[in-house]
Amino acid sequence: MTVTELVSYEDALTTYDPVMGLEVHVELGTKTKMFCGCSTSLGADANSQTCPTCLGMPGSLPVVNAVGVESAVKIGLALNCSIAEWCRFARKNYFYPDMPKNFQTSQYDEPIAFDGYLDVQLEDGEIFRVEIERAHMEEDTGKSTHVGGATGRIHGASHSLLDYNRAGIPLIEIVTKPIQGAGERAPEVAKAYVAELRELIKALGVSEARMEMGQMRCDVNLSLRPKGVEKFGTRSETKNVNSLRSVERAARFEIQRHAAVLSSGGTIVQETRHFHEEDGSTTPGRIKEEAEDYRYFPEPDLVPVAPSREWVEELRKGLPELPRVRRNRLREEWGVSEHDMQSILNAGAVDLIVATTEAGADSAAARKWWMGELARRANEDGTDLAALAITPEQVARVAALVAEGSLNDKLARQTIEGVLAGEGDPDTVVEKRGLKVVSDEGALGKAVDEAIESNAAIADKIRGGKVAAAGALVGAVMKATRGQADAARVRELILEKLGVEG
Ligand code: ADP
Ligand code: MG
Ligand code: ZN
């Protein structure tokens, strides 16, 4: 199936109703793996963070990571789920080269959290409730690198390298119930859901949830049914989609592809599919196994997990303010529109602006710098705001220098430029580059005298009552002070010295 054979999105939606299911894997930020003491830090030499347990050696025994369980319960609570009084791990049996144990320790019919929901806000402000089926604990696999081929895929490679450092890192898998009733907005709902979930995970502090680093990835299940029909159609499952934009595109593409297949009398095969960034298309993966194929059975080497009700309630009380509530509060405090708040959120600037106000800046100034000059720079450099070499404290200091009149806007921009270039703190940059507004009245007075002297004709006009001509003298003084004077004060001085009223 190529892109040209797709049915248009609009046509697809006039005949069919999409049903969606989203499975999101989140890699927890625990210091050690889920069932052993190996480090989870990134960037270590291949296979240096492994032990007999995560390599599945005979005689090794797993032990559950308590922080992993705590994180799972927090996620479950934040998603309005019930928390199991008692649950077990299960073995999901399959062979895969990057699964050294030949099975994955997961949860099957006894997830730690179930039956919840997450409310997500769509672009027009409407709230859409996504129901959660379950959130369960499992472990990540290792990583294989295919070498010797042109594409980096296994096909055409001469050999493969295996790194088990990631094997055993805790994952939480969050599965939605079938999402119905979104209609043409299904792709938007998918994106908004993953975005909200990511904010939530970050707010809980259980993971950085960076999709570009694979810390959070989404499988998009999608099927179509003819409008008015109850029964679900056959679904496809597009695996490991790793950006918000891609989640939306994958859902959209599958709607068009399913519609093309169905409307030409074909049948959809239940299969996994790969998403391609370049053109937003998907291609077949493997025919989907049924759950029975995995021969799940309760993990005999691990004790059941039975979170006490007291502990669960304690964790519930300790939950932070949830992102949507916090966003609404900040929006009101800052007095910005829904639309502006959305831009701030999209720019990843919410926390930076908050931190800047906490460092003493007022919120308007904090927004102005982060969403203006700094957003422009981040855009130019192709990085995130948070990755810029400037801290909220430094931005607050620049704002303070502007507020006290030591810097005007132009000088403040130069100061920021210096900080970003690694020249030091704002005060150091101002000092080194000599950026302070000239507020020394003696120096200013001298510059004004010089301007009057060398522009005698203009000065005469002003004396004669043509006050508007003062602009030219102000310009001369600003030039002489390299833009570092307060223009309003310069004008006052000129008129004073020439003996005219402003
Ligand atoms: P699997 O492990 O086989 O992928 P899961 O139950 O873990 O199965 O996840 C399937 C996801 O797809 C869930 O989110 C579920 O709500 C959703 N889903 C199930 N059936 C359909 C369907 N016919 N169309 C769309 N989504 C579906
Ligand atoms: Mg699945
Ligand atoms: Zn280990």
Side-chain angles (χ1 to χ4, degrees):
M1 172 81 39
T2 63
V3 182
T4 50
E5 292 170 76
L6 295 179
V7 165
S8 85
Y9 191 70
E10 290 67 28
D11 287 350
L13 270 300
T14 48
T15 320
Y16 300 103
D17 176 29
V19 175
M20 221 167 34
L22 301 169
E23 298 168 77
V24 173
H25 285 90
V26 178
E27 219 176 67
L28 294 179
T30 54
K31 291 205 175 64
T32 56
K33 293 186 180 179
M34 192 64 196
F35 304 111
C36 64
C38 289
S39 167
T40 57
S41 64
L42 293 172
D45 285 347
N47 297 306
S48 63
Q49 293 170 347
T50 55
C51 72
T53 299
C54 55
L55 290 177
M57 301 288 186
S60 62
L61 280 175
V63 177
V64 175
N65 182 332
V67 180
V69 176
E70 182 178 299
S71 303
V73 173
K74 283 183 182 167
I75 291 173
L77 289 172
L79 291 172
N80 307 290
C81 286
S82 304
I83 304 300
E85 307 225 358
W86 191 93
C87 65
R88 282 179 299 189
F89 286 96
R91 287 190 184 187
K92 183 180 186 182
N93 294 284
Y94 65 102
F95 171 75
Y96 205 66
D98 54 15
M99 274 292 318
K101 297 192 297 189
N102 249 11
F103 62 85
Q104 180 187 31
T105 307
S106 181
Q107 293 195 287
Y108 179 45
D109 49 354
E110 299 167 354
I112 187 147
F114 52 93
D115 283 347
Y117 63 85
L118 180 63
D119 285 336
V120 304
Q121 191 158 9
L122 302 182
E123 263 158 41
D124 65 359
E126 194 196 312
I127 304 292
F128 191 98
R129 177 160 293 185
V130 175
E131 291 187 282
I132 307 291
E133 167 91 32
R134 57 194 273 145
H136 71 249
M137 302 178 280
E138 57 182 41
E139 58 181 337
D140 213 342
T141 59
K143 245 186 200 158
S144 27
T145 311
H146 307 299
V147 191
T151 58
R153 302 232 176 98
I154 195 163
H155 202 81
S158 59
H159 60 287
S160 298
L161 299 171
L162 288 164
D163 177 6
Y164 291 128
N165 284 353
R166 199 179 65 181
I169 289 187
L171 290 182
I172 304 296
E173 177 173 347
I174 301 151
V175 183
T176 69
K177 294 187 178 168
I179 301 170
Q180 307 177 57
E184 61 180 18
R185 297 207 288 183
E188 189 195 343
V189 168
K191 180 183 174 195
Y193 167 75
V194 178
E196 191 64 30
L197 188 56
R198 188 182 62 174
E199 290 301 307
L200 186 77
I201 299 286
K202 285 197 289 188
L204 293 171
V206 296
S207 168
E208 289 178 28
R210 297 183 62 169
M211 295 187 82
E212 73 283 6
M213 292 177 62
Q215 292 170 340
M216 182 165 169
R217 36 200 203 254
C218 179
D219 300 344
V220 180
N221 293 267
L222 190 124
S223 67
L224 295 184
R225 53 185 176 187
K227 277 198 166 165
V229 170
E230 234 356 75
K231 194 170 173 286
F232 293 168
T234 304
R235 68 181 155 118
S236 59
E237 181 178 355
T238 306
K239 303 290 282 184
N240 292 324
V241 185
N242 67 357
S243 76
L244 295 178
R245 180 163 173 264
S246 299
V247 167
E248 185 169 26
R249 290 171 86 202
R252 207 179 157 90
F253 182 90
E254 282 299 283
I255 288 175
Q256 290 178 258
R257 186 183 69 83
H258 280 230
V261 172
L262 295 172
S263 60
S264 65
T267 45
I268 294 290
V269 197
Q270 186 171 333
E271 63 185 358
T272 65
R273 295 184 69 88
H274 303 294
F275 177 73
H276 305 285
E277 286 299 336
E278 320 82 69
D279 61 356
S281 71
T282 68
T283 51
R286 59 187 156 86
I287 299 296
K288 187 66 183 174
E289 296 82 0
E290 294 298 330
E292 303 86 78
D293 297 336
Y294 290 119
R295 292 286 172 261
Y296 279 100
F297 64 83
E299 169 59 57
D301 285 345
L302 286 168
V303 291
V305 176
S308 80
R309 296 302 96 178
E310 294 73 33
W311 184 55
V312 170
E313 286 319 305
E314 212 175 285
L315 290 178
R316 194 194 303 276
K317 278 197 215 103
L319 289 182
E321 183 183 27
L322 298 181
R324 201 167 59 82
V325 177
R326 174 169 180 258
R327 273 199 314 271
N328 283 338
R329 174 175 61 77
L330 290 173
R331 194 174 64 70
E332 279 180 19
E333 279 175 21
W334 296 348
V336 298
S337 66
E338 291 267 5
H339 179 265
D340 286 351
M341 196 64 197
Q342 193 64 43
S343 311
I344 292 171
L345 183 70
N346 294 345
V350 177
D351 291 337
L352 295 166
I353 293 170
V354 169
T356 307
T357 58
E358 281 167 4
D362 74 45
S363 70
R367 283 202 315 279
K368 170 185 148 143
W369 292 114
W370 285 109
M371 294 303 288
E373 184 67 10
L374 291 166
R376 193 182 58 72
R377 276 296 295 262
N379 199 22
E380 256 173 39
D381 301 356
T383 56
D384 292 341
L385 277 181
L388 289 177
I390 191 164
T391 63
E393 290 72 23
Q394 290 171 327
V395 175
R397 181 63 188 146
V398 171
L401 290 169
V402 173
E404 72 181 34
S406 302
L407 294 179
N408 57 25
D409 261 26
K410 180 172 160 230
L411 295 171
R413 277 199 299 278
Q414 290 172 10
T415 306
I416 285 175
E417 189 186 293
V419 175
L420 291 173
E423 293 168 27
D425 273 340
D427 290 285
T428 314
V429 175
V430 167
E431 180 76 37
K432 276 200 212 151
R433 292 195 176 192
L435 294 179
K436 264 215 156 77
V437 165
V438 180
S439 53
D440 169 356
E441 290 275 317
L444 261 193
K446 197 162 155 271
V448 169
D449 287 341
E450 281 167 14
I452 291 174
E453 232 167 80
S454 48
N455 295 281
I458 299 175
D460 279 342
K461 272 193 201 158
I462 299 170
R463 279 197 197 90
K466 264 200 97 188
V467 176
L473 290 189
V474 173
V477 174
M478 293 305 282
K479 199 169 165 204
T481 57
R482 291 183 300 137
Q484 287 171 231
D486 173 354
R489 180 66 192 134
V490 169
R491 188 182 149 86
E492 265 173 29
L493 277 176
I494 292 169
L495 297 181
E496 224 174 273
K497 283 180 191 281
L498 296 177
V500 281
E501 297 272 306

